[in-house]
């Protein structure tokens, strides 16, 4: 869902640019709490992986495709503040190097893909973590649900932006319905990918999953006798 | 799994996804583009100022084979991302250890 130049008018693009810049500034400070010698390289890899994964469009029917946005995935793996930065770097590299997403639309894309998906994904994840049994096995499913909801919400926010500053005079009801419909389906793909990736990392190195930290502290340390090899 | 091995695996997966799997990605328009086309605002899209970039549209300029062209663009993107993002996060990180790793006896 990379918005190209021209969809939204200048005032709207400038406004989302301001929002994006403010979010990045605030996230640079917030990310300090999340990043240390161990988690900084992990966050770099998360951002890199999101870039790669966004290249994989998957068909969702009737000649349409979707791709991962990665906000929930990045938030659960690297922390929400870092996730905003991860997605922002991805979007900047995509816009400048690959002409994927417009330059004047960069603020819009960071707002939608870097902020909205992270906020929704992380909020839903936190809610589920509070409510579900405190086990590592809940991390991936909770991340998946966060991912599932993050996509249609981002689509709705786009529709809102389009209502305010869309350049073409189009039936808003039709846009809203279509955006919500397709992005709910795309959200399923986002959920599957997020669940699989987060699940893999939780299995291999749960200590590197930001969203799993409080659950690791809960785990008992046990010693077992093992046959000497 | 050791940290080094885990990070290496994560990087290899990213390279394979961007360099190989990307060739098999769907070429259908994504949800937003599809909706724009159906409801009638796709024409308002303008070309990006960077659409002449050598890596525009995830294809490498000057490389004819579509597999190599796309794969190389993906790999270059991964390399750039790794450098920029890890560099940024390394600079932003806290220098002292977090409370969780502080020695309780110290």
């Amino acid at each position: 869902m990379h918005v190209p130049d021209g969809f939204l008018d200048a005032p709207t693009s400038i406004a989302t640019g301001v929002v994006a810049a403010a979010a990045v500034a605030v996230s640079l400070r917030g990310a300090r709490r999340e990043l240390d010698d161990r988690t900084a390289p992990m966050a770099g890899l998360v951002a890199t992986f999101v870039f790669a994964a966004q290249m994989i469009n998957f068909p969702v029917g009737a000649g349409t495709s979707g791709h991962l946005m990665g906000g929930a995935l990045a938030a659960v793996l690297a922390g929400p503040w870092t996730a905003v930065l991860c997605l922002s770097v991805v979007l900047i590299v995509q816009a400048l190097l690959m002409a994927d997403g417009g330059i004047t639309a960069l603020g819009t894309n960071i707002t939608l893909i870097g902020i909205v998906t992270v906020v929704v994904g992380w909020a839903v994840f936190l809610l589920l973590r509070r409510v579900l049994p405190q086990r590592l096995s809940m991390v991936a499913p909770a991340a998946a649900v966060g991912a599932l909801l993050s996509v249609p919400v981002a689509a709705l926010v786009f529709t809102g932006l389009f209502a305010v500053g869309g350049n073409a005079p189009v039936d808003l009801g039709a846009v809203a319905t279509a955006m919500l419909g397709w992005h709910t389906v795309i959200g399923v793909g986002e959920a599957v990918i997020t669940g699989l990736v987060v699940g893999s990392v939780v299995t291999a190195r749960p200590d590197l999953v930001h969203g799993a930290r409080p659950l690791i502290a809960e785990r008992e340390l046990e010693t077992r006798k093992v046959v000497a090899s | 799994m050791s940290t080094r091995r885990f990070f290496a695996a994560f990087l290899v997966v990213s390279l394979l996804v961007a360099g190989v799997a990307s060739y098999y990605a769907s070429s259908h328009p994504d949800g937003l583009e599809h909706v724009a086309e159906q409801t009638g605002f796709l024409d308002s899209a303008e070309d990006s100022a960077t659409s002449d970039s050598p890596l525009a549209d995830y294809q490498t300029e000057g490389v004819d084979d579509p597999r190599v062209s796309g794969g190389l663009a993906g790999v270059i993107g991964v390399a750039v991302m790794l450098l920029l993002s890890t560099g940024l996060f390394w600079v932003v990180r806290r220098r002292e250890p977090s409370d969780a790793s502080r020695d309780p006896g110290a």
Side-chain angles (χ1 to χ4, degrees), chain A residues 1-171:
Chain A
M1 198 178 111
H2 288 61
V3 178
D5 289 329
F7 273 3
L8 301 176
D9 61 24
T12 310
S13 302
I14 292 171
T16 56
V18 169
V19 167
V24 168
V26 167
S27 297
L28 281 168
R29 298 182 66 210
R32 291 209 73 187
R33 275 176 262 151
E34 296 168 351
L35 296 170
D36 58 30
D37 287 4
R38 214 171 38 103
T39 54
M42 176 64 177
L45 284 164
V46 168
T48 303
F49 176 78
V50 169
F51 170 86
Q54 284 199 4
M55 291 177 72
I56 313 298
N57 283 53
F58 47 87
V60 288
T64 315
S65 72
H67 62 73
L68 179 85
M69 290 197 196
L73 189 155
V76 172
L77 287 181
W81 299 112
T82 307
V84 173
L85 299 176
C86 286
L87 269 302
S88 299
V89 176
V90 169
L91 290 162
I92 289 169
V93 168
Q94 288 172 329
L96 293 183
L97 238 54
M98 269 82 182
D100 185 7
I103 307 286
T104 65
L106 192 52
T108 302
N109 284 315
I110 290 179
T111 300
L112 295 171
I113 299 175
I115 304 174
V116 173
T117 62
V118 169
V119 168
V120 172
W122 183 246
V124 170
F125 174 80
L126 274 189
L127 186 69
L128 288 172
R129 191 174 72 184
R130 194 162 294 187
V131 170
L132 292 175
Q134 300 289 287
R135 281 200 292 270
L136 276 180
S137 54
M138 64 71 57
V139 175
V145 175
L148 176 71
L149 293 172
S150 68
V151 179
V153 174
L156 272 180
V157 175
F158 169 79
T159 308
L161 291 173
F162 188 77
V164 167
N167 267 332
V170 168
D171 175 13

Side-chain angles (χ1 to χ4, degrees), chain B residues 17-34:
Chain B
V17 168
V20 180
S22 60
Y23 182 71
Y24 302 97
S26 166
S27 53
H28 289 317
D30 69 17
L32 174 64
E33 199 182 330
H34 179 87

